[in-house]
Amino acid sequence: MRRAIKRGLAAAGGAGVAMVLTAATASAASTVNVSANDGSGTAKATAWGQFRGAMTGQLKSTSGKKVYYEGLIVFDGNTDQNCGRMTGDVTSTSLTSVTGSCSVNPQVGRPSGMKFRVCTNINNLPDPCGSWSSKSS
């Protein structure tokens, strides 16, 4: 890692500027409850960083409508990044296992976890979503 930083500084003309990339794995991450009018379930962040996030969980539709999870990477000291749709559609009224990942534009700040919300997939219209869950970290 030190050599990579030194090479990066040398390539930048020794200006002393380096972007430090951080990533976290969430082996002990908390599972959070997520709900909206059309669906509900649980979600757990499995990884997060400046570029991407990943999750696992369960999701069900309350009435057979197509629902999915959307993700938000939480940054300490900077604006949180909405990374959009994380899972495929679920129409089952029973809890269904889901996994997903997303990517965002990199930014300065320390990623500290993720939040999730349930959205309803509506053709040719903006998808309505519930409120953000508490942070899974």
Side-chain angles (χ1 to χ4, degrees):
M1 176 83 163
R2 268 192 196 146
R3 285 186 191 165
I5 291 172
K6 285 181 181 179
R7 281 194 299 262
L9 291 174
V17 177
M19 181 176 186
V20 178
L21 303 177
T22 60
T25 56
S27 59
S30 56
T31 299
V32 294
N33 292 316
V34 190
S35 65
N37 289 339
D38 293 325
S40 64
T42 58
K44 177 180 173 180
T46 56
W48 60 86
Q50 264 128 342
F51 297 102
R52 64 177 292 275
M55 59 84 63
T56 186
Q58 294 189 314
L59 178 61
K60 71 176 181 178
S61 174
T62 55
S63 62
K65 293 182 179 178
K66 296 182 283 188
V67 295
Y68 61 91
Y69 279 132
E70 187 170 88
L72 180 83
I73 299 176
V74 178
F75 283 85
D76 291 342
N78 207 336
T79 305
D80 298 340
Q81 292 288 303
N82 184 335
C83 57
R85 177 188 273 253
M86 295 199 69
T87 65
D89 291 334
V90 171
T91 57
S92 174
T93 55
S94 299
L95 285 173
T96 303
S97 293
V98 293
T99 60
S101 62
C102 63
S103 58
V104 297
N105 293 325
Q107 70 173 11
V108 176
R110 186 174 87 68
S112 63
M114 295 188 73
K115 293 182 179 183
F116 307 97
R117 64 182 176 182
V118 176
C119 298
T120 304
N121 187 349
I122 299 177
N123 293 335
N124 303 316
L125 291 172
D127 294 344
C129 298
S131 58
W132 290 109
S133 69
S134 57
K135 184 170 70 170
S136 173
S137 59

